Amino acid sequence: MDFELSREHQALRRLVREFAEEEVRPAVKKADRESQPPMDVVRKAADIGLLGVPFPREYGGLGAGETGYCILMEELGRVDTSIATLIGAHIGIGAMSIYLGGDNRIRQTYLPDLCAGKKIAAFALTEPNAGSDAASIKLRATREGDSYILDGQKMWITNGPIADVMSVLAVTDPALGARGGATAFVVETQWEGFRAGKFEHKMGLHGSPTSAVMFDNFRVPQENVLGQVGLGFVVFMQTLDVGRVSLGAATLGGAQSALQAALAWAKVREQFGRPIAQMQSIQFMVADMAAEIEALRSLVYRTAWLVDNNRPFIKEAGMCKLLGSEIASRCIDRAVQIHGALGYSRDFDVERGFRDARIAEIFEGTNEIQRILIAEQMFREVGVRIRPYQLSVSSHQLSVSSYQLSVISCRSSLIGAQHLLITDH
Amino acid sequence: MRIVVCVKQILDPRGLTVNRKSEKVFVNREEYRLDPASRAALQVAAAVKAAQTASNGANPPEIIALSLGPDRVDDALREAMAFGADRAILLNDPAFETADAFVAANALAAAIRKMGEFDLIVVGARSLDSGSGELGARLAEALEVPAALNAVSVEATPDGLSVVREFGEMFIRLDAPLPLVLSVVPEAFEPGYANGWRLMDAYKKWTVDVWSAADLGLADVDVQSMAVRREDAFPPERQLGTRMKDARELVAALKRERVI
């Protein structure tokens, strides 16, 4: 057993940590107060290769795999979860869906520019009436000659207002619905008929732009279908499966920074004539935070290892997201408590961290959905199906190939089916 | 054209705590990094290479990163390659373990001579750890070439380099022909970052050559440190002053102290 990161991954961590401290940290407060994404920082990250960390070199990436990508997310999350979300939506679900679902031509068309930061990506799944119930999407794609015409709306799209390229899930066959009737497309937002809504005013993550996006008589060439017609739901669910691991890494970074802030404050804050670090109540909080963070770190990097080594990882990915978000919330809550009234002040980073943390329990599949996914896997291991499968999708029907994901595609397609079942009321 | 950049790996000061009362430095995290002055030297070398390549594309300069130290310095040299060095050489030998600036300069100069021809040697003016600032001058002496020390601005010209250097409280512009030893003041150059693609290649594709003292043909006298470490000295802690309410109070205080 080897718990050491490879030397190139250690070097990547040093690079990202330095970049996060020197470039991201000075931009955090302004981005939060003014609700403006720090795009100059994103461009600098792109210049040194950080927007292509997981993807192979042939597509302009660093070839550092899921482990490298988790390192990026942890280190960015440690300094600012807003920029981690912006870059995470760009790489982890936007570009990743193109990588997982696209054939070589589509990958070559889009990935080099996305890795180089010349274009920003987004991932459009959620709709006003399709959140956890993702299978009930309504955005319609109608075949017209050798194109599809998209009409409808997506909601809560991270990077919606700034994206140049977007993966969109739309219904191509309403009779089948998501069950074989949903298709994934990669589209360019400069094409006619696209409109982004206003920046959403969120509780936190102010530096991460979110909006609705509208498609009105929006024409997409048929070459821009990701994967196969009718199997878009699988591409989207696969993307989310991988995304959950790195989301766990970003929450790990957030939790770690909460602990660091708590330690730094407990060391200098004096009450009753001594630093509060000397109080057992504070020590217990710090110990609980440290223990949870250590457990999360092991889980996240072991799951990244599973992904990079072609092992099944669906259950563990759900755990990364579930535990990561809840541990981050608990840690930042304790950090605020340790800071006392100052933790409630906008002058302190823990206040921003507190607002930023909450969403991680909601987006990329609520924690309730994660629990269902994990439980379903657990029961499957003892031969119990929670619900019967109603969609038969096998791995060979998918044109998904290596993100070193050959084994996973099979697992994910089954999970895709489970999503349908879970949401099929 | 060949450019040699001498780089140094230092203990990351962010992992250190200084306890003034017990006069001790505690190493909380033993992490090493490429010295900021070395990074500035690499950036200057890369800029000179880019300018030379633009004017003489057929024969672009080669940048060689060179360092002296134990196995762990391999990481610093790979990072140097990510900063643009084309290849890297580590001088690693038990004889160098206690090297002072004299021994380091002898070893580095011997390695540079072994490489053959060179046009430009770039070093950091002062490292963040020991900060003796001797290397540039010692190398120039050992290699018998001119030195432009403490450069704050460097431009490639058809005949060599145009260098602005610190000189006491002034600056001097030098037109420096090659070959030349150049030391650069890190604060004068915008800090940059390693290139991620090159960083991955540095570990996955490229190698660092290792030369021993025997490879360099150094005599015993060349590797005998002249500096001896006697003790660690701690400058006295600065006391916080008294904050004055306004100018009137300040003037009164200065008069009371008979300053004015």
Side-chain angles (χ1 to χ4, degrees), chain A residues 190-248:
Chain A
Q190 56 165 350
W191 293 345
E192 203 174 325
F194 175 88
R195 190 162 61 83
K198 66 173 178 57
F199 272 51
E200 296 291 348
H201 294 296
K202 307 189 297 289
M203 177 199 286
L205 293 189
H206 291 169
S208 152
T210 311
S211 74
V213 295
M214 276 70 77
F215 298 89
D216 179 15
N217 200 24
F218 182 87
R219 184 177 293 272
V220 184
Q222 65 179 7
E223 299 86 66
N224 279 40
V225 170
L226 284 178
Q228 293 180 27
V229 174
L231 298 182
F233 205 80
V234 178
V235 172
F236 265 54
M237 290 308 129
Q238 278 183 321
T239 305
L240 288 176
D241 287 336
V242 186
R244 283 179 192 124
V245 187
S246 48
L247 178 55

Side-chain angles (χ1 to χ4, degrees), chain B residues 59-206:
Chain B
N59 190 16
E62 179 190 35
I63 300 177
I64 302 174
L66 178 64
S67 191
L68 176 137
D71 294 347
R72 60 173 160 74
V73 180
D74 180 270
D75 279 320
L77 283 167
R78 289 184 200 269
E79 192 176 342
M81 289 194 274
F83 268 96
D86 299 291
R87 57 195 184 96
I89 300 166
L90 172 62
L91 310 183
N92 187 351
D93 195 294
F96 301 146
E97 266 172 25
T98 55
D100 61 2
F102 168 75
V103 172
N106 283 346
L108 293 168
I112 292 165
R113 274 194 297 269
K114 183 178 154 79
M115 288 174 204
E117 302 228 325
F118 63 89
D119 301 278
L120 179 62
I121 314 292
V122 194
V123 305
R126 280 177 297 277
S127 63
L128 195 59
D129 55 353
S130 58
S132 68
E134 295 172 35
L135 183 64
R138 285 186 182 275
L139 273 181
E141 185 65 23
L143 295 166
E144 297 179 342
V145 291
L149 303 178
N150 302 324
V152 296
S153 155
V154 179
E155 271 178 55
T157 64
D159 309 317
L161 298 179
S162 170
V163 176
V164 177
R165 59 158 296 191
E166 284 178 352
F167 190 78
E169 293 180 351
M170 299 183 292
F171 295 97
I172 293 179
R173 179 182 292 282
L174 302 168
D175 287 325
L178 302 179
L180 176 76
V181 172
L182 177 73
S183 83
V184 299
V185 176
E187 297 80 11
F189 298 88
E190 182 79 15
Y193 298 93
N195 175 302
W197 292 278
R198 290 186 66 94
L199 189 63
M200 292 296 109
D201 282 346
Y203 281 95
K204 289 181 178 171
K205 289 189 188 167
W206 302 334

Side-chain angles (χ1 to χ4, degrees), chain A residues 49-103:
Chain A
L50 299 186
L51 296 197
V53 168
F55 303 115
R57 289 296 281 269
E58 59 193 292
Y59 302 115
L62 293 191
E66 186 67 13
T67 303
Y69 181 44
C70 283
I71 289 168
L72 174 74
M73 283 295 110
E74 182 191 347
E75 294 299 330
L76 290 177
R78 187 195 280 263
V79 174
D80 181 25
T81 38
S82 272
I83 199 160
T85 303
L86 193 163
I87 291 178
H90 170 76
I91 300 177
I93 46 179
M96 187 62 79
S97 56
I98 295 170
Y99 181 68
L100 292 178
D103 55 19

